[in-house]
Amino acid sequence: MRKIRVALGQINPIVGDFDYNLQKILDYIKKAKDLQVDIIAFPELALTGYPPEDLILKPSFIEKNLHYIKKIAENVEDIIAIVGFIDKKEDIYNAAAIIHNKNIIATYHKQFLPNYGVFDENRYFQKGNGLTVFEIEGYKFGVSICEDIWYPENPINTYAVEGCEVVFNINASPYSEGKVKKREELLKVRSRDNLVSIAYVNLVGGQDELVFDGNSFFVNPNGEILAKGKSFEEDLIVADIDLDEIFRYQLRDNRLKNLRSEYKRSENVKFIKLDYQIKEKIVNIEQKIILDTSEVENTYNALVLGLRDYITKNGFKKVVIGLSGGVDSSLVATIAVDALGSENVKGVLMPSPYTSKESIEDALELAKNLNIETFTIPITNIFQTYLNEFKEIFKGLNPDTTEENLQARIRGNILMALSNKFGWIVLATGNKSEMSVGYSTLYGDMVGGFAVIKDVLKTKVYQLCEYRNSISKVIPDRVLTKPPSAELRPNQTDEAELAPYHILDEIIKMYVEQDYSVEEIIKAGFDEKTVKKIVKLIDANEYKRRQSPIGIKITERAFGKDRRMPITNRFREI
């Protein structure tokens, strides 16, 4: 029984920080060597960080990346390393370097370039068209990159026919709700269909609005997970793969025999026999399988990691949040404390003439539970000064959203003043439901350097609060039970102005995330008047969303890179 020990280096690189990424990769290689690992694989573009976007258009960035991949190679001995980087030939490629004995012995170029949603790889890379089969002591393995595995006709098919027992698939696959399970099921199908073991390594960490969840794993030809890494944390996942067992699977199944009888080898398939002996294992390892987590827990952890990495990777230390006593600011403050520690989170209460006593109490109770420092800066006098200044020009006009928005903009000014004075970054607290219909004030409650829950619908906000309270109760009960209100005028409630959130959010999901037409939404059972009202609001507020701070993507279709609508646009469905 011949076993090969393989490792997945699930790391959190920083885009463009070559020294940091180099050291991180070398540290993981050393850990793997100490565990007598034969092959270690790192994520897609692990050397540059992902996605580097238009840094790729800078020749100096490409050259520095090439310099550092050589530095990695100089330090790889007595182990085989697979490292994602940008290769430069006649064009540039999203590539994997296969490194052995201080040399890059081959490179693999990604063949399927995603160009949908947040991905824009056709803008930067040329597609590859060649495969290399590597042989060690009569056993074979292949390498592919991320999107290559999502298509039925993919490099794994060829690797299997060519006799590979193991295929490494290196990834930078961002998190969205439901994707972790979807990925696992896909890889189980690929391994069963091709009778190979797949080693799937994924990036972890936050990069602007994207969060990469890790969840790297090994799956055998039976579609069973051998070992699985952590979610939203760096990890080194190690497993012993029984190569003889895989060979027996392949011998017993006629599918490969039939495919091989019809197979015509392409000149683009190359073979490299490595002068490498599989190590005799003295050090024992534990093949850990991290238990699956619920979707709400995954989403919460994605928000925590996305915020932490955005703040720390950009050199900030502290954040400031306007605490209204409402559910959105309560959730954002809680996520901030979990991400950064209570000492790095500041809360500001800015009561107006319409702020209820209960809201102030709830905000202070939350701050006490989270152990964060708070400041109270009433806006009543400032608001009255504005009203006095506008008295003549507004003469004879009834109060309306103008006066409401003035209050929100005063609060925005206060938060930005504190940001300027103390270097705290403002966290906006708007959710996806509000962003969708424009139920927010430009230059008011929309101000901020980062919008943590920008892609979280209001109904999901409540679910996340309840999940977090199940760990330790920090969000007051009343915050979760009172009707949501901006408290910008007497007796104001969100749902009276818009629609009940459970209805509003379903319409948003269908129209924004799934591209249903107005007619289709109405046919699904929603009130025609309500649907038309919400759709009009969504269409009319693109200009606001374009000026909002970036925020963490957690759905399959977030505003921004995922959904790019023109502001100047006369197309209307109603």
Side-chain angles (χ1 to χ4, degrees):
M1 183 170 67
R2 201 70 168 123
K3 290 188 176 182
I4 189 167
R5 184 165 291 178
V6 291
L8 305 176
Q10 181 175 293
I11 62 171
N12 183 354
I14 300 174
V15 168
D17 194 335
F18 289 102
D19 287 316
Y20 178 88
N21 299 341
L22 166 75
Q23 195 56 54
K24 178 73 71 174
I25 291 167
L26 294 182
D27 287 347
Y28 271 67
I29 289 173
K30 182 180 184 306
K31 289 177 188 176
K33 285 178 68 174
D34 290 344
L35 293 173
Q36 299 177 321
V37 165
D38 296 298
I39 306 174
I40 181 170
F42 291 93
E44 178 180 11
L45 295 187
L47 179 57
T48 62
Y50 187 95
E53 299 185 295
D54 278 12
L55 287 173
I56 297 170
L57 303 181
K58 292 179 176 289
S60 58
F61 183 81
I62 303 295
E63 293 305 318
K64 198 164 189 180
N65 141 90
L66 294 171
H67 171 72
Y68 273 80
I69 196 68
K70 290 177 183 174
K71 290 181 77 167
I72 291 173
E74 291 166 5
N75 289 275
V76 175
E77 196 171 17
D78 196 31
I79 192 171
I80 298 164
I82 301 166
V83 182
F85 78 113
I86 298 172
D87 196 18
K88 175 186 170 188
K89 299 296 184 190
E90 70 287 348
D91 208 324
I92 59 171
Y93 298 86
N94 185 335
I98 296 82
I99 304 170
H100 173 50
N101 280 346
K102 299 189 176 185
N103 287 300
I104 299 172
I105 56 172
T107 56
Y108 171 82
H109 295 157
K110 188 174 182 177
Q111 299 192 3
F112 292 93
L113 301 177
N115 217 63
Y116 55 85
V118 300
F119 301 108
D120 207 9
E121 291 198 18
N122 276 331
R123 176 179 171 87
Y124 305 110
F125 299 117
Q126 180 60 264
K127 65 180 293 187
N129 62 1
L131 299 179
T132 302
V133 176
F134 301 91
E135 183 179 328
I136 303 171
E137 295 186 1
Y139 301 100
K140 297 173 182 174
F141 72 89
V143 175
S144 63
I145 300 177
C146 201
E147 192 79 4
D148 292 340
I149 212 161
W150 286 83
Y151 291 83
E153 297 297 322
N154 65 77
I156 292 184
N157 306 148
T158 303
Y159 285 134
V161 174
E162 290 287 2
C164 289
E165 283 83 16
V166 183
V167 177
F168 292 87
N169 183 247
I170 68 172
N171 296 263
S173 179
Y175 171 77
S176 61
E177 292 171 339
K179 195 172 183 183
V180 175
K181 186 55 67 178
K182 183 179 177 182
R183 258 195 239 122
E184 287 184 9
E185 293 306 313
L186 173 76
L187 269 290
K188 288 176 182 179
V189 169
R190 293 286 180 266
S191 62
R192 285 194 296 262
D193 284 352
N194 294 285
L195 300 171
V196 295
S197 186
I198 298 174
Y200 174 96
V201 59
N202 191 27
L203 201 69
V204 70
Q207 171 60 29
D208 294 345
E209 57 265 78
L210 300 182
V211 181
F212 301 90
D213 55 275
N215 282 298
S216 305
F217 62 96
F218 299 97
V219 60
N220 71 12
N222 226 11
E224 298 166 338
I225 292 179
L226 299 174
K228 182 180 173 184
K230 297 174 183 175
S231 301
F232 305 101
E233 292 182 47
E234 289 189 317
D235 202 3
L236 181 68
I237 307 99
V238 183
D240 287 331
I241 295 180
D242 190 333
L243 299 169
D244 289 330
E245 181 184 40
I246 298 170
F247 184 59
R248 284 193 295 273
Y249 271 119
Q250 295 178 349
L251 285 176
R252 291 195 301 265
D253 197 304
N254 283 330
R255 286 177 298 165
L256 276 180
K257 288 185 176 68
N258 295 334
L259 287 171
R260 283 168 181 156
S261 68
E262 300 170 1
Y263 173 65
K264 292 182 181 179
R265 180 173 292 161
S266 164
E267 62 182 14
N268 290 326
V269 179
K270 298 177 182 177
F271 295 83
I272 295 179
K273 191 171 183 178
L274 298 177
D275 181 20
Y276 180 87
Q277 284 189 320
I278 297 173
K279 297 174 180 141
E280 294 296 329
K281 308 300 185 291
I282 300 170
V283 177
N284 291 323
I285 60 162
E286 181 186 357
Q287 294 191 172
K288 294 181 291 187
I289 298 180
I290 304 299
L291 295 177
D292 291 339
T293 49
S294 68
E295 204 55 67
V296 69
E297 182 178 353
N298 281 335
T299 299
Y300 190 86
N301 290 336
L303 296 170
V304 169
L305 178 58
L307 174 59
R308 180 188 299 130
D309 275 7
Y310 187 81
I311 297 302
T312 57
K313 288 181 179 181
N314 284 295
F316 295 104
K317 291 183 172 60
K318 298 181 188 296
V319 299
V320 61
I321 302 160
L323 297 181
S324 67
V327 67
D328 297 320
S329 63
S330 296
L331 178 60
V332 171
T334 303
I335 290 169
V337 168
D338 287 344
L340 307 168
S342 58
E343 69 279 8
N344 294 313
V345 180
K346 309 296 178 182
V348 186
L349 284 73
M350 296 169 283
S352 78
Y354 309 112
T355 302
S356 68
K357 174 172 155 288
E358 290 78 13
S359 290
I360 296 171
E361 290 172 352
D362 292 340
L364 291 174
E365 183 181 345
L366 173 81
K368 181 181 177 183
N369 293 343
L370 294 174
N371 192 30
I372 63 174
E373 184 179 13
T374 62
F375 307 89
T376 298
I377 305 175
I379 69 166
T380 302
N381 291 339
I382 304 171
F383 180 45
Q384 189 57 53
T385 300
Y386 269 96
L387 296 180
N388 291 341
E389 292 298 324
F390 282 118
K391 187 161 49 176
E392 286 303 315
I393 198 168
F394 287 175
K395 190 174 181 178
L397 301 174
N398 292 324
D400 54 18
T401 54
T402 306
E403 286 75 13
E404 294 176 28
N405 288 342
L406 272 176
Q407 296 167 68
R409 291 188 175 119
I410 290 166
R411 289 175 172 137
N413 273 329
I414 290 170
L415 290 171
M416 290 309 302
L418 294 170
S419 175
N420 289 157
K421 186 62 71 177
F422 300 109
W424 305 335
I425 184 169
V426 177
L427 298 184
T429 61
N431 59 61
K432 189 172 188 173
S433 305
E434 295 169 349
M435 293 291 180
S436 296
V437 297
Y439 196 65
S440 52
T441 303
L442 201 56
Y443 322 122
D445 54 320
M446 286 176 66
V447 302
F450 199 60
V452 181
I453 59 171
K454 181 180 182 179
D455 196 32
V456 182
L457 292 166
K458 188 78 166 191
T459 47
K460 177 69 78 171
V461 168
Y462 283 99
Q463 293 172 26
L464 291 166
C465 289
E466 288 163 3
Y467 161 73
R468 181 57 182 82
N469 270 1
S470 73
I471 300 171
S472 62
K473 192 171 178 181
V474 291
I475 300 171
D477 287 335
R478 190 164 55 193
V479 169
L480 303 178
T481 57
K482 65 187 177 185
S485 171
E487 293 190 326
L488 297 174
R489 67 171 186 269
N491 303 315
Q492 182 183 31
T493 65
D494 297 0
E495 294 188 327
E497 296 195 4
L498 299 169
Y501 274 115
H502 69 280
I503 293 173
L504 173 66
D505 287 356
E506 286 304 313
I507 294 172
I508 291 169
K509 275 196 253 185
M510 294 176 79
Y511 187 68
V512 173
E513 297 179 12
Q514 299 164 349
D515 282 323
Y516 278 60
S517 68
V518 170
E519 185 179 341
E520 288 170 324
I521 299 171
I522 294 167
K523 281 183 179 177
F526 293 93
D527 173 69
E528 180 177 350
K529 185 177 178 182
T530 302
V531 171
K532 289 183 175 180
K533 172 185 174 183
I534 298 308
V535 167
K536 279 183 179 178
L537 287 171
I538 293 170
D539 288 347
N541 282 284
E542 186 62 38
Y543 79 100
K544 272 193 188 181
R545 289 189 291 270
R546 194 72 66 88
Q547 297 179 73
S548 66
I550 68 165
I552 302 164
K553 167 185 162 64
I554 58 111
T555 66
E556 286 198 357
R557 200 169 196 202
F559 291 118
K561 288 184 181 180
D562 271 341
R563 187 180 188 269
R564 311 176 196 183
M565 291 293 177
I567 297 172
T568 306
N569 158 30
R570 289 189 180 180
F571 175 76
R572 294 292 182 267
E573 291 204 39
I574 48 176

